[in-house]
Amino acid sequence: MTTSGIRIEFSFRGAFDSFTIYRSLEPISVDNLPAPHVTNLRNMYYHDAIVVEGTAYYYRIEAHLGDESTISDNMVCVAGLNY
């Protein structure tokens, strides 16, 4: 089965309440985060099906635990088939 999109799988050591995923067409600065792409994610994977094949997308993932949070480095993925 072929499915278009980007599948992101990640790991996080320690406890967490939820994750927020940020997405952009250019590198994401932690000082100027775009609007969240996904909020309140409770697992460590996400399938981004609303993408344009061949386009590069930048992602950052923010882990939340209570009032604390930590954010990942930029990840770049190119949308395509057969992930």
Side-chain angles (χ1 to χ4, degrees):
M1 179 173 139
T2 59
T3 303
S4 183
I6 295 172
R7 181 173 173 89
I8 299 170
E9 295 185 28
F10 54 96
S11 63
F12 180 80
R13 187 184 333 188
F16 65 88
D17 294 326
S18 67
F19 297 98
T20 299
I21 296 179
Y22 299 94
R23 182 182 86 169
S24 178
L25 296 175
E26 56 191 42
I28 301 168
S29 167
V30 294
D31 297 325
N32 190 23
L33 293 170
H37 182 64
V38 176
T39 59
N40 207 30
L41 184 67
R42 302 289 178 165
N43 49 51
M44 289 186 264
Y45 60 88
Y46 173 69
H47 177 221
D48 192 351
I50 304 172
V51 296
V52 176
E53 189 172 345
T55 300
Y57 294 91
Y58 291 83
Y59 296 90
R60 279 191 184 247
I61 299 168
E62 185 174 21
H64 304 279
L65 178 61
D67 292 336
E68 301 291 320
S69 68
T70 188
I71 194 160
S72 73
D73 291 333
N74 273 294
M75 297 173 282
V76 63
C77 302
V78 177
L81 298 174
N82 300 321
Y83 65 88

